[in-house]
């Protein structure tokens, strides 16, 4: 069977708008705040918020409950399936609210553990910002839970549109209040955008006739099973927290501004990964749950292989133009008094590694969805907890030894080992469903990648360093280099008849001929 290119394209289109808005947002942040201590405080407070979110394992629990949602819906009815989502939301939103209060009550103690290298005044500002933004976390967690249910209902594009609303509001508020470099404008923008996103989700929930129930006991999601899931995800959460605190501590001990540079790169990467990889894994998750009812191992293996091939192609599709023209494009957007050429080079190196790691992130997301559907999902959470602890120790050692280069090494190794966990879980527990890359397709795509990168580097050699050009010239050079590299890549893929491109080309030709 072929991939659901139509729904994947819908999600890609909406997510592309989101990544454009995110670039605009990050560009405004760079112009208004640069790599100042104030923006590092905001980023650290955001990480502290992510820590709370991970304490309640929102993402992992949504994965587990969506698999159960499909089963309850087919065995009982839609209302029963919706009730288990409500029960989950009641538990984790309540826990998140309590955790926020505890973190606030701790003062700067938790902040000292997270970013020991920051100055005392910056640490105090981290805590002050979290006192406001922390109360947004229960709302964000509820939004994520209900977005998972909307995806489970095959309502593609609606959840992405809620992110579009959020990003747009964030940009508008920042334009109005951020010009004077007041860091509280970022807090206000975050506050209003989160509420706007939640309001949009509520609107879509009403469209599917969702009615929230305040149940803490649910016959379709027994507490015994919920406790078993929570035990596994809590172990995973413990490993993630060890990783988060140790990695951020190592970052905070690097020269001033490095922490902000890393977070700027992470902002861009997160949105780009959402654009290109989440649509594939989201559609895959729903399709694989449908195929499981047919109990056809060969069909599932073939479908997994097709998704892996496509994610491999997508990873290079993102990496190639950025490697070729990324430096010039970043200089165009961010270069200036508060963001010099060295800062641009650092962000460029970080993003090259982030995008290269997408080659591992694709199979990680696909095998993760498959493992949740066909194996005991708790198993891989235990393995991930071990990976996070070992990765945390490695990150501290490698960053303290090699500095910024250590950050680059760690990013790629961490992504690789994270991807191995669900792959090995499916391989050892459900080998009948274990699909893998098609060798011929991988060779074609790899060859196209090597040629296009070579052409990109040769073309790049004709131009001087980024600081020699103004913004307009830099944009023209960066866009030209990116276009040349991507055209070479796609052209060679077409010549070698890469399957996915052939199918997409045929579908477009049929649509045009109508």
């Amino acid at each position: 069977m072929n991939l659901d290119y139509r729904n994947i394209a819908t999600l890609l289109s909406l997510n592309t708008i989101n990544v454009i808005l995110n670039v605009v947002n990050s560009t405004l942040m760079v112009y208004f705040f640069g790599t100042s201590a104030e923006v590092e405080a905001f980023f650290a407070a955001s990480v502290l918020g992510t820590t709370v979110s991970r304490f309640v394992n929102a993402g992992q629990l949504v994965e587990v409950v969506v698999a159960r949602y499909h089963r309850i819906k087919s065995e009982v009815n839609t209302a029963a399936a919706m009730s288990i989502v409500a029960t989950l939301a009641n538990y984790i939103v309540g826990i998140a609210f309590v955790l926020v209060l505890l973190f606030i009550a701790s003062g700067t103690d938790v902040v000292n553990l997270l970013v020991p290298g920051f100055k005392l005044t910056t640490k105090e500002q981290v805590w002050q910002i979290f006192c406001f933004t922390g109360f947004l976390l229960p709302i964000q967690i509820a939004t994520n839970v209900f977005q998972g249910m909307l995806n489970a209902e095959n309502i593609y594009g609606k959840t992405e549109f809620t992110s579009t609303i959020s990003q747009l509001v964030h940009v508008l508020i920042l334009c109005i209040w951020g010009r004077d470099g007041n860091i509280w404008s970022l807090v206000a923008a975050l506050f209003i955008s989160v509420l706007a996103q939640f309001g949009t989700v509520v609107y879509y929930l009403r469209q599917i006739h969702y009615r929230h129930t305040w149940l803490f006991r649910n016959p379709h999601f027994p507490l015994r099973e919920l406790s078993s899931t929570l035990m596994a995800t809590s172990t995973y959460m413990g490993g993630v927290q060890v990783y988060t605190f140790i990695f951020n501590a190592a970052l905070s001990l690097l020269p001033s501004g490095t922490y902000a540079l890393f977070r700027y790169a992470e902002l861009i990467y997160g949105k780009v990964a959402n654009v290109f990889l989440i649509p594939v894994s989201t559609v895959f998750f729903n399709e694989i749950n449908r195929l499981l009812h047919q109990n056809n191992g060969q069909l599932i293996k073939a479908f997994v292989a097709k998704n892996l091939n496509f994610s491999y192609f997508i990873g290079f599709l993102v990496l190639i133009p950025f490697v070729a023209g990324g430096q010039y494009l970043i200089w165009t957007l961010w270069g200036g008094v508060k963001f010099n050429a060295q800062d641009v080079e650092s962000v460029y190196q970080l993003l090259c590694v982030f995008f290269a790691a997408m080659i591992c992130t694709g199979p990680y997301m696909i095998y993760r969805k498959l493992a949740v559907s066909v194996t005991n999902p708790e198993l891989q959470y235990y393995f991930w907890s071990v990976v996070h602890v070992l990765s945390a120790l490695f990150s501290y050692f490698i960053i303290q030894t090699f500095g910024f280069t250590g950050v680059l090494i760690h990013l790629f190794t961490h992504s690789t080992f994270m991807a191995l966990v669900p792959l090995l879980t499916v391989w050892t527990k459900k080998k009948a469903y274990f699909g893998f890359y098609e060798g011929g397709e991988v060779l074609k795509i790899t060859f196209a990648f090597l040629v296009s990168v070579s052409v990109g580097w040769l073309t790049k050699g004709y131009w001087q360093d980024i600081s020699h050009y103004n913004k307009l010239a830099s944009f023209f050079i960066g866009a030209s280099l990116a276009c040349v590299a991507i055209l070479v890549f796609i052209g060679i893929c077409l010549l070698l008849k890469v399957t996915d491109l052939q199918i997409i080309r045929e579908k477009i030709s049929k649509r045009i001929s109508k």
Side-chain angles (χ1 to χ4, degrees), residues 182-308:
N182 184 356
I183 199 65
W184 291 100
S185 63
L186 283 175
V187 176
L190 179 65
F191 210 94
I192 296 172
S193 64
V194 167
L195 294 179
Q197 188 174 18
F198 181 70
T200 310
V201 167
V202 170
Y203 170 79
Y204 286 126
L205 289 176
R206 294 185 65 180
Q207 296 295 103
I208 63 171
H209 308 294
Y210 172 80
R211 290 188 178 183
H212 191 75
T213 55
W214 298 97
L215 297 174
F216 284 90
R217 296 178 64 87
N218 192 314
H220 305 295
F221 199 3
L223 284 178
R224 177 176 54 81
E225 293 187 26
L226 178 59
S227 299
S228 175
T229 301
L230 282 172
M231 184 177 296
T233 55
S234 295
T235 304
Y236 169 75
M237 169 273 297
V240 171
Q241 300 316 319
V242 170
Y243 171 78
T244 300
F245 276 82
I246 291 179
F247 178 66
N248 277 272
L251 271 182
S252 73
L253 294 171
L254 292 178
S256 178
T258 306
Y259 192 89
L261 292 173
F262 179 84
R263 294 302 163 196
Y264 280 129
E266 192 178 47
L267 275 176
I268 297 298
Y269 165 72
K271 290 301 177 181
V272 171
N274 286 347
V275 168
F276 291 99
L277 293 182
I278 287 183
V280 178
S281 66
T282 299
V283 175
F284 170 80
F285 195 30
N286 286 327
E287 287 298 314
I288 207 69
N289 277 286
R290 183 179 62 82
L291 291 174
L292 285 171
H293 292 294
Q294 300 179 23
N295 197 27
N296 187 327
Q298 290 301 316
L299 185 62
I300 290 173
K301 288 171 70 172
F303 187 61
V304 171
K306 286 183 178 294
N307 279 272
L308 289 172

Side-chain angles (χ1 to χ4, degrees), residues 80-110:
M82 288 181 174
S83 72
I84 68 171
V85 176
T87 299
L88 177 68
N90 294 339
Y91 272 105
I92 64 177
V93 170
I95 293 171
F97 185 76
V98 172
L99 285 172
V100 169
L101 292 178
L102 290 175
F103 274 40
I104 291 175
S106 72
T108 58
D109 292 341
V110 176

